[in-house]
Amino acid sequence: MTKRKRRHRRSVDVRINWLHPHVDGFRDWLGTRNYSPATIVEVVRLLALWTDWVRASGFGVETLGAAFSASASVFGGSKKARAPQGAAALFIAYLRDADVLPSEQRPLLRETWPELAAFRCWMQEQRGTRDSTLDLYERIIADLLEKLGTNPASYTVVAIRDFVLERASTVGRWRAQAIAVAVRAYLKYMVATGQCPIGRERAVPTFANWALASTPRFLTEAEIDRLLGACADEDRVRDRAVILLLARLGLRAGEVANLTFDQIDWAQGQIVLAGKSRREERLPLTQEIGDTILAYIEQARPRIAASRVFLTSTAPIRPISRITVKCIVNRALDRAGIKSAHRGAHILRHSAATAMLRNGVSLTGIGAVLRHRSPSVTALYAKVDIGLLSEIAQPWGGRLPC
């Protein structure tokens, strides 16, 4: 370390000396979360900038939580200006882990509403519903409980209908349908458990949904090649593996994010997925995908014990999320220079289906790979090829023209 860097390190330590010994513990805490030494030095430097304002504003160690809230307007604006606030957020998280500051965790909705916890448990046991789906339902059902109360016997047809229509009046069609699905699922649960009269779920209004009205959104094979080419560097082998799973096998973003080593059957060359309603699905592990996953494991995956295959590339190291998968695709689209009105991971699922269709795979085969429960969902892809529309076309029941 040069003299200039040593002097800078000492000046930072002097400025945050009033937080001793918390800063030393903070450095160790960052280290256990796989932050590099250089990053730890930078985070502590940014923390010193934030604590200069904290001391000048009259806050102390015991009021750092309030200081963080108060400093939000001060350290706003550009990304560079917000950096000290980010370091402060990490420091406060450490202090809460160390019980120096009280935890400020918000109670879960199902802790506030025991009815939600019972509904969630029933849906998981009886229907095999995923946590991500139940998370979407919870906010809607919590509003229903707050509006109509917790006694299902008092839920009239008019009250249920008015709630759904009022809740859906300010959102788009897809969100309105999601509200109706969540409320209907909750009412079905109450009917099944004897808390509500049979047929009460029919009080939920439906929203127009024209089957096959849209066309599939997809990238061409040339664009997929460009997308993979944008991930050809050694430091992007993880991104290449993620995109291959999306574009070749049509996996969903959540399925890629949650992929574990136990789901990869190297001997049989298969990937085993737990589909909707606990259905076990098996997809081929192609040579291209297998080689790329192995390259990621051997060359780029952080050396930490975790059952999930894909991890974040920067600290704190943890399994990637569904949103991370979406961001990986969007960044690759930008690097490849692909201008598409539709972005995100799901466009690659559509692209996988379209590529199979153009390579002669039947609609039934595409539905099997994409794991569609209804043939009508797969039928959407027939619109890509006019010739295949005959597979789903219905005879005309009207009169022939004169």
Side-chain angles (χ1 to χ4, degrees):
M1 185 182 293
T2 64
K3 290 183 178 179
R4 181 177 180 180
K5 288 183 178 179
R6 282 197 295 269
R7 284 197 300 269
H8 179 71
R9 170 73 176 269
R10 284 197 296 270
S11 67
V12 170
D13 288 343
V14 169
R15 288 161 60 191
I16 58 178
N17 188 52
W18 64 285
L19 292 173
H20 183 80
H22 303 306
V23 174
D24 291 336
F26 179 50
R27 289 191 177 103
D28 294 338
W29 183 81
L30 291 174
T32 62
R33 281 156 177 76
N34 298 295
Y35 282 79
S36 68
T39 302
I40 293 173
V41 170
E42 178 63 11
V43 170
V44 173
R45 183 188 71 82
L46 293 169
L47 179 65
L49 293 174
W50 182 75
T51 56
D52 287 345
W53 177 88
V54 169
R55 293 199 76 184
S57 302
F59 292 98
V61 175
E62 68 284 353
T63 57
L64 284 180
F68 180 76
S69 299
S71 64
S73 59
V74 177
F75 295 93
S78 66
K79 183 177 180 180
K80 183 176 181 180
R82 294 194 302 269
Q85 189 80 352
L90 285 172
F91 185 58
I92 289 173
Y94 156 71
L95 293 177
R96 286 176 177 155
D97 273 1
D99 293 328
V100 176
L101 291 178
S103 176
E104 291 188 354
Q105 295 181 347
R106 294 182 179 179
L108 297 173
L109 285 173
R110 52 186 176 273
E111 294 175 355
T112 304
W113 303 97
E115 295 81 4
L116 276 180
F119 167 70
R120 191 181 189 98
C121 182
W122 187 86
M123 290 290 285
Q124 289 172 329
E125 292 179 353
Q126 303 299 323
R127 303 290 298 275
T129 309
R130 291 181 174 274
D131 285 336
S132 57
T133 301
L134 292 172
D135 290 341
L136 294 174
Y137 288 176
E138 277 193 352
R139 181 67 267 172
I140 299 168
I141 299 171
D143 290 345
L144 175 72
L145 294 170
E146 187 172 354
K147 181 80 172 179
L148 303 186
T150 58
N151 179 17
S154 65
Y155 292 3
T156 65
V157 172
V158 173
I160 294 170
R161 183 178 178 83
D162 288 348
F163 169 79
V164 173
L165 292 177
E166 180 183 352
R167 190 78 158 68
S169 61
T170 58
V171 297
R173 177 164 60 94
W174 293 112
R175 182 60 180 166
Q177 289 176 341
I179 293 169
V181 168
V183 174
R184 193 176 294 113
Y186 185 65
L187 292 173
K188 285 182 177 180
Y189 150 72
M190 290 196 296
V191 169
T193 55
Q195 302 179 61
C196 216
I198 296 175
R200 188 52 51 90
E201 73 278 4
R202 296 175 186 170
V204 179
T206 58
F207 296 91
N209 182 24
W210 292 273
L212 307 179
S214 60
T215 55
R217 306 180 296 272
F218 62 93
L219 303 179
T220 65
E221 292 188 32
E223 288 173 326
I224 293 294
D225 290 340
R226 284 169 55 192
L227 194 66
L228 292 170
C231 302
D233 298 342
E234 290 184 2
D235 58 344
R236 293 198 173 101
V237 64
R238 180 203 63 177
D239 295 1
R240 183 179 178 86
V242 166
I243 289 174
L244 280 172
L245 287 168
L246 296 168
R248 299 289 193 246
L249 298 182
L251 266 62
R252 301 177 178 91
E255 292 169 338
V256 174
N258 295 319
L259 185 68
T260 65
F261 288 106
D262 291 341
Q263 292 177 266
I264 303 178
D265 187 344
W266 298 101
Q268 299 297 323
Q270 295 178 334
I271 294 178
V272 183
L273 298 174
K276 294 182 178 180
S277 301
R278 299 197 189 106
R279 293 184 306 167
E280 187 177 275
E281 314 281 359
R282 294 179 178 271
L283 295 178
L285 178 64
T286 65
Q287 190 72 41
E288 179 187 30
I289 296 173
D291 288 345
T292 307
I293 292 177
L294 283 174
Y296 166 64
I297 294 171
E298 294 171 354
Q299 302 171 16
R301 188 178 187 273
R303 304 301 184 203
I304 67 170
S307 61
R308 300 257 285 273
V309 175
F310 297 110
L311 306 176
T312 55
S313 55
T314 57
I317 302 300
R318 59 184 182 272
I320 65 174
S321 66
R322 178 178 59 84
I323 301 302
T324 305
V325 174
K326 175 183 176 180
C327 293
I328 287 172
V329 175
N330 287 342
R331 287 195 297 265
L333 287 170
D334 292 337
R335 289 196 305 272
I338 297 174
K339 304 298 182 183
S340 172
H342 305 287
R343 298 166 66 84
H346 216 68
I347 192 176
L348 297 185
R349 181 172 167 84
H350 289 312
S351 302
T354 304
M356 285 187 280
L357 182 69
R358 288 180 167 169
N359 284 313
V361 180
S362 67
L363 289 176
T364 302
I366 294 172
V369 174
L370 297 186
R371 291 150 287 128
H372 288 156
R373 287 185 289 181
S374 171
S376 63
V377 178
T378 316
L380 172 69
Y381 296 102
K383 298 182 74 172
V384 176
D385 190 324
I386 297 299
L388 284 175
L389 284 174
S390 60
E391 291 192 21
I392 61 170
Q394 300 297 316
W396 169 243
R399 297 175 57 186
L400 293 174
C402 296

